[in-house]
Amino acid sequence: MLSPLLVAALIAAPNPHRHDPPPVAGQTVMLKASGVAFTPVGPTGPSPGSLTVTEVPAVGEERGRVLVRHQGVDVWVDRAQVMTPKEAVAYYGERITAEPQNTSNYMRRAKAYELLSDWDAAIKDYDELLKISPQQSAYWNNRANYYSRRKEYDLARAGYEEAIRISPTSYVPLGNLGNLYSNLGEWDKAVQSYDRAVKINPKYGRAFAGRANVWREKREYAKALEDAEEAIKADGTSPHTWSARGQVHAALQKLDAALADFNEALRFDPMFATGYYHRAGVHLARKEYQPAIRDLDTAMQLSPKYAAAMTRRAEAWVACGNPRRALADLDEAIAGDGKYAPAYRQKAWLLATHPDGTLRDGKAAVECARKALELTRNPGGSVWEVMAAALAEAGDFPGAVEWQKKAVGDDGYAKEKGQAARQRLETYEGKKPFRAD
C-alpha cells in the first residue's frame, strides 16, 4: 500500500501532458494558413507537398502530428498547424479584436461556428461583414446559408437573391437558391435555379447534384441518373456528388451500386454525416439493421441535432422489434427540431398501426398526423395515408376512407405503393384499422 505522503506527492506532481493540445481525430479541423506542408503516410503515398484548403477531416493522430484526409488521400500535418473548431473560434476572436476591419478573420470564425453548428454566431459574424462591405455577393450568400440551416427560408431566399443581384454571373448563390427551393418542395423553381447555375458554369458539380435530387423526388429517374453522372464528372472528389448518385441508385433499388457510391462519398469525407444517413438507408433496405444503426449513431455523433438521422434510426428500431426505443428517438427528434415533419409522420404511423395494442394511441396519432400535414408544404400520398391510418385507429372510418382515397389518387405515390394503398382503402371501407407487419 502506498503511504499517504507518497499519494499526496503523486497527486501534486505536475501532469506532463497538461498543456498538450486536445485530441482532434474524428472531427473536421481548420488549417491556420494556406499552404500547410504535409508528408505522405508511407512510401506509396503522394509526394510531400502542401494543402491549400481551409478545413479537412482528421482521421487519426499521434504525438505532434495529425493524419488528415484530402481528396481521398491521407497525409500527415503538424498538430501546431491545425485547430479544432473551438480553438479556431478563440484564435480568430483574438485576431478580430486586434484587426476589427480584417474581413478574412470574421469569415474564418464564421466557418468555425459552422463546424460547431452554431448558426446564430455565424450569422452575427456575417452581419459584421456586411456592415464593413455591404456589396460583397459572397457575404449575402454565406449568411443566407446559415438562415437556411435555421429554416428561416424567407430570410435565406432574400439573401440569395441579393447575392445574385449584386453579382448576376455568380453561380454559387443560384445553386444554393436551387437547394432552398428543393428543401421547400418547389421543384420547378429549384430546376430553374440549377439550370441558370450550370449555364453560367457547366462544371458546377453541386448544381448537377442538386438537380439530380429534384428529378429523383419527382420520380424522373433517367434524368436524375444523367445529372448525377454529370455531377461526378464535374467534381469527382465531392461527397455531395457521389451521394446524389447513390440516392438515385437507392431509389432504383440498385442497392449494391448505391452502397458503393455512399462508400465513395465517405472515403472523400469521413465526417460527412449525410453520407452515413443515406448509407444507413441502404442497409435498412437490405434488412441489415445493426449496420444501419451504427451508421446512424455515427451521423448523430457528427451532427448531434440530426433529426432525420434520429427518425431513420427509429425506423431501424421498429424493424428490430423495439418500438418503444423508436418512440424515444422520434420524441427526441421532435424536441430538437419541432418543424421536422417526417418525425411526426413516422410517430403517427407507429401509434396508429403497430400490432402492440399497449403502444397504439389513436388520439395522439391523429395529432401527430395533423402536425405532419401542417409542416409539409406539398403533401402527397405518403402523408395522406398516415392521416388515414390515424383516423382509422381513432375510429373515424369515413375520414380514413376520404384521406386514403386522396393517397390512392396521388399518381406518383400510387405507382410505387398502389396495391398496398388500395388494400388499406378496402380495410377502412370495412371499418377496420390497419395493422403493420
Side-chain angles (χ1 to χ4, degrees):
M1 180 181 292
L2 295 175
S3 71
L5 286 175
L6 181 55
V7 170
L10 289 172
I11 292 174
N15 180 354
H17 304 300
R18 181 178 299 169
H19 300 295
D20 285 356
V24 298
Q27 61 185 306
T28 299
V29 295
M30 299 182 67
L31 304 182
K32 279 191 174 179
S34 179
V36 169
F38 69 74
T39 57
V41 173
T44 59
S47 300
S50 61
L51 299 174
T52 57
V53 294
T54 57
E55 64 271 347
V56 286
V59 296
E61 60 188 308
E62 63 180 32
R63 192 70 179 272
R65 60 181 189 166
V66 179
L67 188 66
V68 301
R69 184 165 299 172
H70 176 53
Q71 296 185 342
V73 177
D74 294 345
V75 295
W76 290 107
V77 298
D78 288 343
R79 174 62 176 89
Q81 295 300 315
V82 303
M83 299 178 288
T84 67
K86 288 183 179 179
E87 290 173 337
V89 166
Y91 177 77
Y92 289 111
E94 291 176 358
R95 298 188 71 172
I96 288 169
T97 299
E99 304 175 87
Q101 296 300 308
N102 187 325
T103 57
S104 65
N105 293 327
Y106 287 99
M107 293 180 68
R108 299 278 283 156
R109 188 171 69 175
K111 172 57 71 172
Y113 283 131
E114 176 185 328
L115 294 174
L116 294 168
S117 299
D118 189 342
W119 318 125
D120 293 348
I123 287 170
K124 287 180 181 178
D125 272 349
Y126 273 96
D127 288 343
E128 294 302 315
L129 283 166
L130 285 166
K131 289 177 185 176
I132 296 170
S133 186
Q135 293 302 306
Q136 278 287 343
S137 173
Y139 297 168
W140 288 96
N141 172 78
N142 294 351
R143 189 176 67 171
N145 286 339
Y146 301 131
Y147 279 130
S148 184
R149 293 292 189 93
R150 287 204 317 198
K151 294 185 170 60
E152 296 183 50
Y153 295 125
D154 289 339
L155 289 172
R157 177 167 36 216
Y160 294 135
E161 289 173 348
E162 182 65 11
I164 294 164
R165 185 195 67 78
I166 292 170
S167 180
T169 60
S170 180
Y171 53 87
V172 172
L174 278 166
N176 287 332
L177 185 59
N179 295 339
L180 175 80
Y181 285 129
S182 183
N183 288 334
L184 295 174
E186 298 182 26
W187 310 123
D188 292 342
K189 290 182 178 180
V191 169
Q192 289 171 8
S193 293
Y194 292 134
D195 286 348
R196 291 173 63 191
V198 298
K199 186 176 181 180
I200 295 170
N201 181 2
K203 298 296 183 182
Y204 186 25
R206 292 286 293 272
F208 282 109
R211 197 168 65 182
N213 288 332
V214 172
W215 297 134
R216 175 180 50 77
E217 290 285 352
K218 290 168 70 70
R219 298 181 174 86
E220 297 186 40
Y221 298 123
K223 287 183 178 180
L225 190 57
E226 181 181 354
D227 265 351
E229 298 284 4
E230 286 298 321
I232 291 172
K233 286 179 186 176
D235 189 355
T237 64
S238 168
H240 298 278
T241 59
W242 288 98
S243 179
R245 193 175 73 174
Q247 291 175 71
V248 179
H249 281 146
L252 292 169
Q253 294 300 304
K254 295 181 178 179
L255 300 182
D256 289 345
L259 188 62
D261 281 342
F262 294 131
N263 286 342
E264 193 70 357
L266 291 168
R267 181 174 74 85
F268 285 110
D269 186 355
M271 310 306 164
F272 184 48
T274 304
Y276 292 100
Y277 167 79
H278 287 303
R279 191 171 71 177
V282 175
H283 286 309
L284 283 174
R286 292 163 61 143
K287 303 186 187 304
E288 298 166 351
Y289 303 125
Q290 291 307 315
I293 289 170
R294 283 196 299 270
D295 270 351
L296 293 166
D297 287 346
T298 302
M300 285 182 280
Q301 287 169 6
L302 294 167
S303 183
K305 296 182 180 180
Y306 198 168
M310 292 180 202
T311 302
R312 179 159 283 177
R313 191 171 67 177
E315 181 183 346
W317 288 128
V318 170
C320 289
N322 197 337
R324 296 191 184 280
R325 195 159 183 178
L327 276 176
D329 266 354
L330 293 170
D331 287 340
E332 186 176 353
I334 290 168
D337 185 352
K339 295 181 180 179
Y340 187 63
Y344 290 99
R345 186 175 74 233
Q346 190 164 316
K347 184 177 179 181
W349 183 257
L350 185 59
L351 293 174
T353 68
H354 197 273
D356 184 351
T358 65
L359 191 79
R360 294 194 305 275
D361 184 333
K363 181 179 178 181
V366 171
E367 290 175 358
C368 287
R370 292 197 190 285
K371 191 67 176 179
L373 272 170
E374 174 190 324
L375 293 170
T376 305
R377 293 178 71 96
N378 295 298
S382 62
V383 181
W384 296 332
E385 76 160 5
V386 171
M387 176 58 78
L391 290 169
E393 178 60 23
D396 182 357
F397 292 106
V401 168
E402 178 184 351
W403 283 99
Q404 192 65 20
K405 283 182 177 179
K406 282 173 67 72
V408 172
D410 180 344
D411 292 339
Y413 184 75
K415 187 176 180 180
E416 293 186 5
K417 308 286 186 179
Q419 183 177 356
R422 285 188 291 273
Q423 288 175 345
R424 282 193 283 277
L425 177 58
E426 292 174 4
T427 298
Y428 303 146
E429 288 173 336
K431 294 183 168 42
K432 294 180 180 179
F434 172 71
R435 295 289 172 261
D437 294 334

